[in-house]
Amino acid sequence: MSFKFKRQSRVRVDWFRVIADINGMGASMVAISQHIDVPRTTVIGWKNLNAEPKHDEGQRLLMLWHEITGKSTDAVPMVGSVMLYPRLCTQTVGNPTG
């Protein structure tokens, strides 16, 4: 009997830090919302209420973050962790008896 580990990722974009970075470069919540074409209250929800944008809205916000901060998209702030879960393997490899 052996175990293999299954990797499960719970890593996601840290929308609070993305918006805080943009704010820190001088852009207001109104300016952010106008640039990505969503209501200001929606942007506030992403930052303060742990809400997540829809895919296309998130992409526009990340492009704005990239343009304003000059950082690579590989440097997007992330939160979470990668967890490893043991999984029992019942398959044998080769001939176990000899």
PDB file of all heavy atoms in Angstrom, residues 36-54:
ATOM      1  N   ILE A  36     -12.691  50.780 -15.752  1.00  0.00           N
ATOM      2  CA  ILE A  36     -13.049  49.380 -16.046  1.00  0.00           C
ATOM      3  C   ILE A  36     -14.547  49.190 -16.271  1.00  0.00           C
ATOM      4  O   ILE A  36     -15.007  48.069 -16.454  1.00  0.00           O
ATOM      5  CB  ILE A  36     -12.517  48.413 -14.965  1.00  0.00           C
ATOM      6  CG1 ILE A  36     -13.152  48.684 -13.608  1.00  0.00           C
ATOM      7  CG2 ILE A  36     -11.006  48.481 -14.894  1.00  0.00           C
ATOM      8  CD1 ILE A  36     -12.803  47.640 -12.564  1.00  0.00           C
ATOM      9  N   ASP A  37     -15.300  50.300 -16.230  1.00  0.00           N
ATOM     10  CA  ASP A  37     -16.733  50.305 -16.575  1.00  0.00           C
ATOM     11  C   ASP A  37     -17.592  49.436 -15.649  1.00  0.00           C
ATOM     12  O   ASP A  37     -18.343  48.578 -16.099  1.00  0.00           O
ATOM     13  CB  ASP A  37     -16.918  49.876 -18.037  1.00  0.00           C
ATOM     14  CG  ASP A  37     -18.305  50.228 -18.565  1.00  0.00           C
ATOM     15  OD1 ASP A  37     -18.892  51.222 -18.075  1.00  0.00           O
ATOM     16  OD2 ASP A  37     -18.801  49.514 -19.456  1.00  0.00           O
ATOM     17  N   VAL A  38     -17.419  49.673 -14.350  1.00  0.00           N
ATOM     18  CA  VAL A  38     -18.287  49.058 -13.338  1.00  0.00           C
ATOM     19  C   VAL A  38     -18.657  50.141 -12.321  1.00  0.00           C
ATOM     20  O   VAL A  38     -17.957  51.144 -12.202  1.00  0.00           O
ATOM     21  CB  VAL A  38     -17.622  47.867 -12.604  1.00  0.00           C
ATOM     22  CG1 VAL A  38     -17.300  46.736 -13.565  1.00  0.00           C
ATOM     23  CG2 VAL A  38     -16.400  48.296 -11.841  1.00  0.00           C
ATOM     24  N   PRO A  39     -19.745  49.966 -11.577  1.00  0.00           N
ATOM     25  CA  PRO A  39     -20.094  50.956 -10.555  1.00  0.00           C
ATOM     26  C   PRO A  39     -19.012  51.067  -9.467  1.00  0.00           C
ATOM     27  O   PRO A  39     -18.353  50.085  -9.131  1.00  0.00           O
ATOM     28  CB  PRO A  39     -21.400  50.418  -9.963  1.00  0.00           C
ATOM     29  CG  PRO A  39     -21.956  49.507 -11.003  1.00  0.00           C
ATOM     30  CD  PRO A  39     -20.771  48.920 -11.703  1.00  0.00           C
ATOM     31  N   ARG A  40     -18.868  52.259  -8.927  1.00  0.00           N
ATOM     32  CA  ARG A  40     -17.899  52.508  -7.852  1.00  0.00           C
ATOM     33  C   ARG A  40     -18.152  51.580  -6.673  1.00  0.00           C
ATOM     34  O   ARG A  40     -17.211  51.046  -6.069  1.00  0.00           O
ATOM     35  CB  ARG A  40     -17.988  53.974  -7.400  1.00  0.00           C
ATOM     36  CG  ARG A  40     -17.075  54.331  -6.248  1.00  0.00           C
ATOM     37  CD  ARG A  40     -17.323  55.754  -5.752  1.00  0.00           C
ATOM     38  NE  ARG A  40     -18.700  55.991  -5.357  1.00  0.00           N
ATOM     39  CZ  ARG A  40     -19.207  55.692  -4.145  1.00  0.00           C
ATOM     40  NH1 ARG A  40     -18.440  55.179  -3.227  1.00  0.00           N
ATOM     41  NH2 ARG A  40     -20.466  55.925  -3.875  1.00  0.00           N
ATOM     42  N   THR A  41     -19.413  51.344  -6.343  1.00  0.00           N
ATOM     43  CA  THR A  41     -19.740  50.485  -5.202  1.00  0.00           C
ATOM     44  C   THR A  41     -19.293  49.041  -5.433  1.00  0.00           C
ATOM     45  O   THR A  41     -18.985  48.332  -4.483  1.00  0.00           O
ATOM     46  CB  THR A  41     -21.251  50.525  -4.904  1.00  0.00           C
ATOM     47  OG1 THR A  41     -21.977  50.204  -6.101  1.00  0.00           O
ATOM     48  CG2 THR A  41     -21.668  51.905  -4.406  1.00  0.00           C
ATOM     49  N   THR A  42     -19.237  48.631  -6.682  1.00  0.00           N
ATOM     50  CA  THR A  42     -18.741  47.286  -7.006  1.00  0.00           C
ATOM     51  C   THR A  42     -17.259  47.182  -6.681  1.00  0.00           C
ATOM     52  O   THR A  42     -16.809  46.209  -6.068  1.00  0.00           O
ATOM     53  CB  THR A  42     -18.999  46.965  -8.489  1.00  0.00           C
ATOM     54  OG1 THR A  42     -20.404  47.011  -8.724  1.00  0.00           O
ATOM     55  CG2 THR A  42     -18.469  45.597  -8.853  1.00  0.00           C
ATOM     56  N   VAL A  43     -16.494  48.190  -7.076  1.00  0.00           N
ATOM     57  CA  VAL A  43     -15.051  48.204  -6.784  1.00  0.00           C
ATOM     58  C   VAL A  43     -14.836  48.216  -5.268  1.00  0.00           C
ATOM     59  O   VAL A  43     -13.965  47.505  -4.749  1.00  0.00           O
ATOM     60  CB  VAL A  43     -14.356  49.409  -7.452  1.00  0.00           C
ATOM     61  CG1 VAL A  43     -12.877  49.452  -7.089  1.00  0.00           C
ATOM     62  CG2 VAL A  43     -14.528  49.350  -8.964  1.00  0.00           C
ATOM     63  N   ILE A  44     -15.634  48.998  -4.543  1.00  0.00           N
ATOM     64  CA  ILE A  44     -15.532  49.042  -3.087  1.00  0.00           C
ATOM     65  C   ILE A  44     -15.812  47.656  -2.501  1.00  0.00           C
ATOM     66  O   ILE A  44     -15.121  47.213  -1.582  1.00  0.00           O
ATOM     67  CB  ILE A  44     -16.485  50.102  -2.504  1.00  0.00           C
ATOM     68  CG1 ILE A  44     -15.998  51.500  -2.886  1.00  0.00           C
ATOM     69  CG2 ILE A  44     -16.608  49.966  -0.992  1.00  0.00           C
ATOM     70  CD1 ILE A  44     -16.990  52.616  -2.590  1.00  0.00           C
ATOM     71  N   GLY A  45     -16.787  46.956  -3.042  1.00  0.00           N
ATOM     72  CA  GLY A  45     -17.093  45.600  -2.583  1.00  0.00           C
ATOM     73  C   GLY A  45     -15.943  44.636  -2.798  1.00  0.00           C
ATOM     74  O   GLY A  45     -15.645  43.795  -1.957  1.00  0.00           O
ATOM     75  N   TRP A  46     -15.262  44.751  -3.933  1.00  0.00           N
ATOM     76  CA  TRP A  46     -14.104  43.895  -4.196  1.00  0.00           C
ATOM     77  C   TRP A  46     -12.995  44.167  -3.196  1.00  0.00           C
ATOM     78  O   TRP A  46     -12.316  43.252  -2.759  1.00  0.00           O
ATOM     79  CB  TRP A  46     -13.566  44.105  -5.597  1.00  0.00           C
ATOM     80  CG  TRP A  46     -14.509  43.756  -6.703  1.00  0.00           C
ATOM     81  CD1 TRP A  46     -15.584  42.911  -6.650  1.00  0.00           C
ATOM     82  CD2 TRP A  46     -14.461  44.246  -8.033  1.00  0.00           C
ATOM     83  NE1 TRP A  46     -16.210  42.848  -7.865  1.00  0.00           N
ATOM     84  CE2 TRP A  46     -15.532  43.657  -8.742  1.00  0.00           C
ATOM     85  CE3 TRP A  46     -13.622  45.121  -8.709  1.00  0.00           C
ATOM     86  CZ2 TRP A  46     -15.781  43.920 -10.090  1.00  0.00           C
ATOM     87  CZ3 TRP A  46     -13.864  45.387 -10.044  1.00  0.00           C
ATOM     88  CH2 TRP A  46     -14.932  44.784 -10.720  1.00  0.00           C
ATOM     89  N   LYS A  47     -12.836  45.430  -2.840  1.00  0.00           N
ATOM     90  CA  LYS A  47     -11.749  45.788  -1.941  1.00  0.00           C
ATOM     91  C   LYS A  47     -12.089  45.489  -0.478  1.00  0.00           C
ATOM     92  O   LYS A  47     -11.276  44.930   0.250  1.00  0.00           O
ATOM     93  CB  LYS A  47     -11.396  47.274  -2.088  1.00  0.00           C
ATOM     94  CG  LYS A  47     -10.218  47.691  -1.217  1.00  0.00           C
ATOM     95  CD  LYS A  47      -9.831  49.123  -1.429  1.00  0.00           C
ATOM     96  CE  LYS A  47      -8.643  49.480  -0.524  1.00  0.00           C
ATOM     97  NZ  LYS A  47      -8.353  50.909  -0.559  1.00  0.00           N
ATOM     98  N   ASN A  48     -13.269  45.854  -0.049  1.00  0.00           N
ATOM     99  CA  ASN A  48     -13.579  45.815   1.381  1.00  0.00           C
ATOM    100  C   ASN A  48     -14.450  44.653   1.833  1.00  0.00           C
ATOM    101  O   ASN A  48     -14.499  44.367   3.026  1.00  0.00           O
ATOM    102  CB  ASN A  48     -14.255  47.125   1.802  1.00  0.00           C
ATOM    103  CG  ASN A  48     -13.350  48.319   1.611  1.00  0.00           C
ATOM    104  OD1 ASN A  48     -12.133  48.208   1.673  1.00  0.00           O
ATOM    105  ND2 ASN A  48     -13.937  49.467   1.357  1.00  0.00           N
ATOM    106  N   LEU A  49     -15.142  44.008   0.928  1.00  0.00           N
ATOM    107  CA  LEU A  49     -16.092  42.967   1.329  1.00  0.00           C
ATOM    108  C   LEU A  49     -15.681  41.572   0.886  1.00  0.00           C
ATOM    109  O   LEU A  49     -16.467  40.640   0.934  1.00  0.00           O
ATOM    110  CB  LEU A  49     -17.487  43.300   0.779  1.00  0.00           C
ATOM    111  CG  LEU A  49     -18.055  44.640   1.231  1.00  0.00           C
ATOM    112  CD1 LEU A  49     -19.400  44.895   0.559  1.00  0.00           C
ATOM    113  CD2 LEU A  49     -18.198  44.679   2.748  1.00  0.00           C
ATOM    114  N   ASN A  50     -14.451  41.431   0.429  1.00  0.00           N
ATOM    115  CA  ASN A  50     -13.929  40.134   0.002  1.00  0.00           C
ATOM    116  C   ASN A  50     -14.728  39.531  -1.153  1.00  0.00           C
ATOM    117  O   ASN A  50     -14.776  38.326  -1.320  1.00  0.00           O
ATOM    118  CB  ASN A  50     -13.865  39.160   1.183  1.00  0.00           C
ATOM    119  CG  ASN A  50     -12.841  38.068   0.965  1.00  0.00           C
ATOM    120  OD1 ASN A  50     -11.880  38.255   0.235  1.00  0.00           O
ATOM    121  ND2 ASN A  50     -13.038  36.936   1.590  1.00  0.00           N
ATOM    122  N   ALA A  51     -15.387  40.390  -1.929  1.00  0.00           N
ATOM    123  CA  ALA A  51     -16.098  39.925  -3.122  1.00  0.00           C
ATOM    124  C   ALA A  51     -15.095  39.764  -4.257  1.00  0.00           C
ATOM    125  O   ALA A  51     -13.996  40.320  -4.211  1.00  0.00           O
ATOM    126  CB  ALA A  51     -17.180  40.934  -3.503  1.00  0.00           C
ATOM    127  N   GLU A  52     -15.461  38.994  -5.259  1.00  0.00           N
ATOM    128  CA  GLU A  52     -14.578  38.782  -6.399  1.00  0.00           C
ATOM    129  C   GLU A  52     -15.260  39.231  -7.676  1.00  0.00           C
ATOM    130  O   GLU A  52     -16.454  39.003  -7.861  1.00  0.00           O
ATOM    131  CB  GLU A  52     -14.201  37.302  -6.514  1.00  0.00           C
ATOM    132  CG  GLU A  52     -13.382  36.835  -5.343  1.00  0.00           C
ATOM    133  CD  GLU A  52     -12.545  35.611  -5.667  1.00  0.00           C
ATOM    134  OE1 GLU A  52     -12.460  35.235  -6.849  1.00  0.00           O
ATOM    135  OE2 GLU A  52     -11.983  35.057  -4.738  1.00  0.00           O
ATOM    136  N   PRO A  53     -14.499  39.868  -8.568  1.00  0.00           N
ATOM    137  CA  PRO A  53     -15.093  40.315  -9.832  1.00  0.00           C
ATOM    138  C   PRO A  53     -15.372  39.146 -10.764  1.00  0.00           C
ATOM    139  O   PRO A  53     -14.791  38.069 -10.642  1.00  0.00           O
ATOM    140  CB  PRO A  53     -14.009  41.220 -10.419  1.00  0.00           C
ATOM    141  CG  PRO A  53     -12.738  40.765  -9.808  1.00  0.00           C
ATOM    142  CD  PRO A  53     -13.089  40.235  -8.448  1.00  0.00           C
ATOM    143  N   LYS A  54     -16.292  39.396 -11.702  1.00  0.00           N
ATOM    144  CA  LYS A  54     -16.495  38.446 -12.791  1.00  0.00           C
ATOM    145  C   LYS A  54     -15.201  38.402 -13.601  1.00  0.00           C
ATOM    146  O   LYS A  54     -14.381  39.307 -13.534  1.00  0.00           O
ATOM    147  CB  LYS A  54     -17.646  38.900 -13.674  1.00  0.00           C
ATOM    148  CG  LYS A  54     -18.983  38.893 -12.974  1.00  0.00           C
ATOM    149  CD  LYS A  54     -20.052  39.433 -13.892  1.00  0.00           C
ATOM    150  CE  LYS A  54     -21.367  39.561 -13.146  1.00  0.00           C
ATOM    151  NZ  LYS A  54     -22.387  40.232 -13.965  1.00  0.00           N
TER     152      LYS A  54
END
